[in-house]
Amino acid sequence: MKKYLLTFVLAVVIFAALTYFTVDDKRPVDGPYYVGFPLAFYIKYSEMTSPSPTSSADMSITKYWFLILDILFAILLSAIALKIFRFGQGKKSRK
């Protein structure tokens, strides 16, 4: 149980850090705003895009499958990080 809780907490931290540090905001120069790594799950366009959006609903796009894949990527990274950490701890205790 402790292993799964630690993996979950580490996955949340990794997901938040990857999302925060990889935000690509080009709206001040009439570009889009991308959120998500490795896949952009939220995109918001500025008003000066070509071709211009036909409605305000077209200004932002949320891709839920990409969000799920980003979360799974964070879980995978956290599991790998914990395996490497535990493998290193095991080598230290054998010396």
Side-chain angles (χ1 to χ4, degrees), residues 69-82:
L69 290 174
D70 283 354
I71 292 170
L72 291 175
F73 181 73
I75 291 170
L76 179 68
L77 281 180
S78 66
I80 290 170
L82 286 175

Side-chain angles (χ1 to χ4, degrees), residues 9 36 40 63 71 75 79 84:
V9 170
K63 300 177 182 179
I71 292 170
I75 291 170
I84 291 171

Side-chain angles (χ1 to χ4, degrees), residues 24-41:
D24 188 17
D25 188 4
K26 295 182 181 174
R27 289 179 295 171
V29 290
D30 298 330
Y33 175 71
Y34 294 106
V35 177
F37 179 83
L39 304 169
F41 59 85

